[in-house]
Amino acid sequence: MGETRLPRHMFLWCLSATYMFAFASIYVQIPGLYGNEGVLPARWMLRISGKSVWEQLRNLPTLLWFGPKLGLDTQQCMELLSLAGALLGLAATAIPALRDCRVYFVLWVLYLSLYQVGQVFLYFQWDNLLLEVGFLAIVTAPMNMPWGRRVSLHDNITFWLTRWLLFRLMFASGVVKLTSRCPTWWGLTALTYHYETQCIPTPLAWFAHQLPVWFQKLSVVGTFVIEIAVPFLFFSPIRRHRLTAFYMQVLLQVLIILTGNYNFFNLLTITLCISLLDDQHVNFWLCRRTAQKERTLLQTALSWVCLLVEVAVYGLIVYWTILYFDLKVEWDRKSISSKTAFTHYEFNGFLKLVTVPSIWIGVLSLTWEIVTAMFRSACVKGIFWRLWSTVQWAVFAAAAASMFAISLVPYTYIEYEANSNIWPGVRKAFELTDRYQLVNPYGLFRRMTGVGGRPEVVIEGSMDGSTWTEIEFMYKPGNVSAAPSVVTPHQPRLDWQMWFAALGPHTQSPWFSSLVHRLLQGKKDVIRLIQTDESQYPFSQQPPAYIRAHRYKYWYTEPKEDGSFPQRWWRRIYAEEFYPVVHLGNAFLEHMLSQHGLKDKPPVRRGSEAWLPRVLKHVGEHVRDVPAPLLLWTLFSSAVTICVINSLRSHTRSLLHSQRSASKHTPQQPDGKEEEEKKKMNEKQEKVKVIKDAEREKEESREEKEEEEGGEEEEEGGEEEEEKEEGGEEEEEVLSDENNGNHDEEPDHLRKRK
């Protein structure tokens, strides 16, 4: 693989922006989710014990243990960590010097500290993915401060780990769809349900749902190809294979972003895809010309061989796709039919066949990067620098090999036999590091839910127990006339958990009882999770006396027969009761809270005169009134603006430097009055020159006449010698005239002498 300096900078920039989105999104939700009067107070995870701080850190690695030493409670400490992470991510996005390995270490520690107490609201695969990518950034990022290090010889080794993570993510996500035996994935009909049953769809999802069934099935086939077959091209030695894989992966992620709100997950996946690029392709994007070396005959022949292999690989992928999904063009229907032409048993055999070879492909690819870096280190000039480069190479090569070995444990979860053959030492190392989320198993959209209709929980409140009013959430579907929201990259975590709660009974979601209890108490922080604008909350003046919840089935509406769009986005029918009618002090509610350990006495509020709690309170009061998506995009726009200004300043500075250097080698050009005076002087000099030339011509003509007259009066002595001389002169003049093309006229002085 070629040089990867520019892709590595792009990777770190995108990761900084992702950290900023993640921390800012959590920050605005902390009081309602984890506050002292939130749904799941984080202080429950930090029970006071007689252990030392270091023992507590070993059991639960989080910086929240140091909150009391700063005079902060658990909620305030979480706000401080998330606010610091958002600001540090913003600074790293805007300032290149802050994209430093130590900065990414701080960001990783901050997010890990929040993750440890996040409970069910932070246990998503993209949270694990962010922690794993963040740890890889620590070994990938340079050490910029206080000295600079633009390029190290081991950079390709550490950057390779992001490519391996991308392979694990995509390949596992494709495989689990078939190993789960979900009938919609096997029947290629998953997307006919996906657009309306996903957690928070976008408005474009409604239009995508109206596409014909044959196209939806063909899209599922394309998903399998991109997630199962294409990832093997990540390690191809042919550069165009990797670029093709990059564009196909990015295409899939962009389509997901357009039709669904999956917070920062798709942006983070695109960030991983940058590892497939090289400096040459990034320069092509930037319209920078790169010097092309002349190819030898051997290189030209090798390029043609690579082209043939490349085309053969594409042909095999197309052939296997047509063969195993039975693709046929139906010209009469103007469609393409498709179906799975293999069994579950055959797919398991395929999985056993490719899992171990895929590991060996990773081993060979990593070995190539390590050996290449070793030779580069050996070619460094100077004994000291060569030794220092070799030490760095050895350390980072060992770290990359260790990370690769540990990642094999979660990767082989997709195939039981391969997982059972993992070396016990590697398995033990994985167990020791598991709490830090260094490597994780992945597999998104394992099964398609909501086949019989999208289940949705609707909470209702009442003041008298007879008249009920629905409590609408900002983002999740509820009101059938309300258009779907666009909230990316923000993740409304309560809305997401409401989607999971609707898939089963309320006993599978213990936090729901706590939510009902907080709404009956009228807690402002929890209400802001449902509606940022309290005027949109139906019980903003007084909390409801009674609350209940029903389960409904939702479907997208369909276009009218004349092709016009309907007024409503959804249609729904009542399914069943989800949560019975309860009120404060209700026996059922008290039983549920006690059963799940959700009932305890709130801590005594003590007014703190310290400056830090007051600053946190002041910032929170102003920030949380802004809608979260608007806040996140405002931060991102600010970072991009700073980047553009810095780029323009550096470009202007380089132009000024080039102009100054050019002025040193060229004479200074006059301007203004001096230039006019110089023009006048030049005109006078030209006139004088013309006059002198005219006088010189007159003198020359006068001298010629005098010479001609003197020649006629000469004595005729020595005639023979003069004739010889004149003959020689005549020959020379004739030759010169012939060379000049003057053959018609004889020279005057020769004619006179004759």
Side-chain angles (χ1 to χ4, degrees):
M1 190 169 181
E3 295 297 328
T4 58
R5 183 181 64 86
L6 295 177
R8 189 169 60 256
H9 290 329
M10 293 172 58
F11 167 77
L12 295 175
W13 187 87
C14 293
L15 181 60
S16 303
T18 305
Y19 263 129
M20 179 189 65
F21 289 142
F23 278 113
S25 177
I26 294 175
Y27 173 74
V28 297
Q29 302 178 79
I30 284 176
L33 294 179
Y34 305 112
N36 297 321
E37 295 178 345
V39 178
L40 292 177
R43 57 187 171 83
W44 294 349
M45 301 292 294
L46 303 173
R47 300 295 183 181
I48 300 176
S49 61
K51 298 180 180 180
S52 65
V53 176
W54 298 111
E55 290 177 343
Q56 292 172 335
L57 282 173
R58 188 164 52 248
N59 296 331
L60 189 68
T62 175
L63 296 178
L64 296 177
W65 293 114
F66 298 98
K69 295 186 177 182
L70 298 175
L72 304 175
D73 58 21
T74 305
Q75 174 186 340
Q76 293 171 337
C77 194
M78 289 189 71
E79 292 176 351
L80 176 62
L81 296 183
S82 58
L83 186 60
L87 294 177
L88 191 57
L90 173 65
T93 306
I95 304 173
L98 292 179
R99 292 169 210 152
D100 184 271
C101 59
R102 289 160 292 186
V103 172
Y104 290 108
F105 175 75
V106 174
L107 289 169
W108 179 77
V109 171
L110 292 176
Y111 203 81
L112 180 65
S113 299
L114 299 175
Y115 176 85
Q116 296 294 339
V117 298
Q119 305 169 73
V120 69
F121 293 109
L122 265 173
Y123 291 168
F124 292 95
Q125 289 195 37
W126 35 84
D127 295 311
N128 298 333
L129 181 64
L130 180 57
L131 285 171
E132 185 169 352
V133 177
F135 186 80
L136 294 182
I138 298 174
V139 297
T140 302
M143 188 176 291
N144 294 324
M145 301 175 296
W147 56 86
R149 178 180 66 85
R150 291 189 175 183
V151 179
S152 291
L153 301 178
H154 57 74
D155 286 339
N156 284 359
I157 299 176
T158 53
F159 200 44
W160 179 90
L161 292 173
T162 60
R163 208 175 347 146
W164 171 247
L165 173 56
L166 177 64
F167 173 81
R168 287 166 40 216
L169 173 67
M170 300 310 300
F171 186 69
S173 298
V175 165
V176 296
K177 293 177 174 61
L178 295 175
T179 56
S180 65
R181 299 195 179 190
C182 177
T184 60
W185 287 114
W186 279 90
L188 306 181
T189 58
L191 290 184
T192 60
Y193 305 102
H194 166 73
Y195 296 117
E196 70 177 2
T197 60
Q198 59 183 324
C199 180
I200 305 178
T202 65
L204 285 179
W206 186 91
F207 296 94
H209 183 73
Q210 313 302 329
L211 295 173
V213 175
W214 70 266
F215 186 83
Q216 306 278 25
K217 297 176 71 174
L218 189 63
S219 300
V220 174
V221 173
T223 302
F224 283 138
V225 172
I226 292 175
E227 292 185 344
I228 297 178
V230 173
F232 286 94
L233 299 180
F234 296 170
F235 308 107
S236 172
I238 300 176
R239 177 173 172 268
R240 284 188 294 267
H241 276 163
R242 299 191 299 272
L243 296 179
T244 302
F246 167 80
Y247 284 109
M248 295 183 73
Q249 298 298 327
V250 171
L251 173 63
L252 177 63
Q253 300 306 317
V254 170
L255 292 176
I256 295 175
I257 291 173
L258 293 176
T259 57
N261 291 284
Y262 291 94
N263 50 81
F264 58 82
F265 168 66
N266 303 109
L267 302 177
L268 189 56
T269 306
I270 294 176
T271 301
L272 289 174
C273 292
I274 296 175
S275 62
L276 302 174
L277 301 176
D278 54 19
D279 285 357
Q280 182 180 349
H281 198 68
V282 176
N283 284 325
F284 170 75
W285 285 351
L286 300 175
C287 299
R288 295 177 180 174
R289 295 182 179 180
T290 55
Q292 296 182 355
K293 299 180 181 179
E294 294 184 0
R295 292 183 177 182
T296 62
L297 184 60
L298 179 61
Q299 291 176 335
T300 304
L302 185 61
S303 64
W304 280 104
V305 172
C306 291
L307 180 61
L308 293 176
V309 174
E310 179 187 359
V311 174
V313 170
Y314 296 148
L316 284 176
I317 292 177
V318 173
Y319 171 74
W320 285 335
T321 302
I322 296 173
L323 178 65
Y324 289 109
F325 291 99
D326 196 18
L327 299 182
K328 296 179 181 178
V329 179
E330 297 181 350
W331 300 103
D332 54 341
R333 298 182 180 180
K334 297 181 180 179
S335 64
I336 300 176
S337 64
S338 58
K339 65 178 181 179
T340 51
F342 54 91
T343 63
H344 185 268
Y345 176 78
E346 291 174 339
F347 182 74
N348 284 339
F350 161 79
L351 202 56
K352 290 180 180 180
L353 185 65
V354 302
T355 301
V356 175
S358 66
I359 296 175
W360 283 110
I361 290 174
V363 170
L364 292 175
S365 181
L366 178 59
T367 303
W368 173 261
E369 298 293 348
I370 291 175
V371 172
T372 304
M374 180 186 67
F375 279 106
R376 289 181 177 179
S377 300
C379 296
V380 174
K381 294 182 179 180
I383 298 176
F384 173 78
W385 294 112
R386 187 181 305 157
L387 178 61
W388 175 242
S389 179
T390 304
V391 170
Q392 286 184 316
W393 165 82
V395 170
F396 283 95
S402 301
M403 289 291 296
F404 174 76
I406 296 174
S407 69
L408 296 181
V409 177
Y411 169 64
T412 53
Y413 286 163
I414 59 177
E415 209 280 305
Y416 173 78
E417 186 176 345
N419 183 261
S420 61
N421 292 330
I422 294 293
W423 187 42
V426 174
R427 195 181 301 276
K428 185 176 181 180
F430 170 75
E431 293 172 356
L432 291 175
T433 59
D434 187 34
R435 70 180 66 183
Y436 304 108
Q437 308 301 314
L438 301 185
V439 291
N440 302 277
Y442 300 102
L444 295 170
F445 305 109
R446 185 184 302 267
R447 299 186 66 87
M448 194 56 56
T449 59
V451 175
R454 173 195 180 95
E456 200 66 58
V457 173
V458 176
I459 301 176
E460 299 176 346
S462 175
M463 302 300 298
D464 53 9
S466 58
T467 303
W468 296 90
T469 304
E470 291 187 8
I471 298 176
E472 296 182 12
F473 284 66
M474 284 185 292
Y475 308 117
K476 83 178 191 67
N479 185 354
V480 294
S481 299
S485 306
V486 178
V487 299
T488 301
H490 172 59
Q491 181 184 1
R493 297 183 180 264
L494 179 60
D495 295 62
W496 269 84
Q497 287 301 328
M498 288 290 293
W499 180 77
F500 283 107
L503 301 178
H506 68 84
T507 54
Q508 294 181 0
S509 305
W511 57 268
F512 190 83
S513 297
S514 179
L515 172 64
V516 171
H517 186 232
R518 298 304 188 193
L519 293 179
L520 288 171
Q521 293 176 332
K523 300 301 180 182
K524 297 291 186 181
D525 293 333
V526 178
I527 292 174
R528 284 197 183 98
L529 296 176
I530 298 175
Q531 287 290 343
T532 304
D533 185 3
E534 293 186 12
S535 62
Q536 301 297 322
Y537 185 69
F539 302 98
S540 58
Q541 302 298 325
Q542 183 180 358
Y546 303 91
I547 281 184
R548 69 183 184 184
H550 289 156
R551 195 195 324 263
Y552 286 82
K553 295 285 188 179
Y554 277 68
W555 293 270
Y556 275 137
T557 54
E558 297 179 357
K560 297 179 180 179
E561 295 181 356
D562 58 356
S564 60
F565 300 136
Q567 295 181 350
R568 295 182 176 182
W569 292 82
W570 301 94
R571 59 184 179 88
R572 73 179 187 180
I573 61 172
Y574 175 80
E576 58 184 346
E577 182 184 72
F578 181 78
Y579 205 85
V581 179
V582 293
H583 56 83
L584 288 176
N586 179 269
F588 177 80
L589 179 60
E590 295 294 326
H591 171 71
M592 294 300 298
L593 294 175
S594 301
Q595 180 181 357
H596 298 291
L598 302 174
K599 185 178 180 181
D600 67 343
K601 295 181 180 180
V604 179
R605 287 274 187 176
R606 292 178 295 181
S608 177
E609 298 297 331
W611 65 272
L612 189 54
R614 287 189 282 110
V615 169
L616 290 174
K617 181 180 178 181
H618 180 73
V619 172
E621 289 176 352
H622 288 79
V623 169
R624 294 190 179 95
D625 291 335
V626 181
L630 177 60
L631 174 64
L632 268 60
W633 284 114
T634 301
L635 292 175
F636 180 74
S637 302
S638 303
V640 171
T641 302
I642 296 174
C643 290
V644 172
I645 293 174
N646 289 336
S647 177
L648 292 176
R649 289 178 60 186
S650 62
H651 182 66
T652 304
R653 195 180 298 113
S654 63
L655 288 177
L656 291 175
H657 179 72
S658 62
Q659 289 177 359
R660 289 174 183 174
S661 60
S663 63
K664 294 180 180 179
H665 302 284
T666 57
Q668 187 174 1
Q669 298 295 333
D671 56 336
K673 297 181 179 179
E674 295 180 358
E675 188 174 357
E676 294 179 358
E677 293 178 358
K678 189 171 183 179
K679 287 182 179 179
K680 292 179 180 179
M681 292 293 294
N682 292 334
E683 291 176 356
K684 291 180 180 179
Q685 292 176 359
E686 290 178 358
K687 291 180 180 179
V688 172
K689 187 177 181 181
V690 170
I691 294 171
K692 290 182 178 180
D693 292 340
E695 293 177 353
R696 190 181 298 110
E697 289 178 358
K698 291 180 179 179
E699 292 178 357
E700 290 177 355
S701 60
R702 190 181 302 112
E703 291 176 356
E704 288 179 357
K705 290 180 179 179
E706 291 176 355
E707 290 178 358
E708 291 175 357
E709 292 175 355
E712 293 177 355
E713 295 175 355
E714 287 180 353
E715 296 179 356
E716 298 179 356
E719 294 179 355
E720 295 179 357
E721 294 179 358
E722 289 180 0
E723 288 176 0
K724 292 181 180 179
E725 291 177 358
E726 289 175 359
E729 290 177 357
E730 289 175 2
E731 290 178 357
E732 291 177 358
E733 292 291 336
V734 171
L735 290 174
S736 63
D737 290 339
E738 289 177 355
N739 292 333
N740 294 328
N742 298 327
H743 305 288
D744 298 334
E745 297 180 359
E746 189 176 6
D748 294 339
H749 65 280
L750 293 178
R751 192 184 311 113
K752 290 179 180 179
R753 288 185 180 183
K754 286 182 180 179

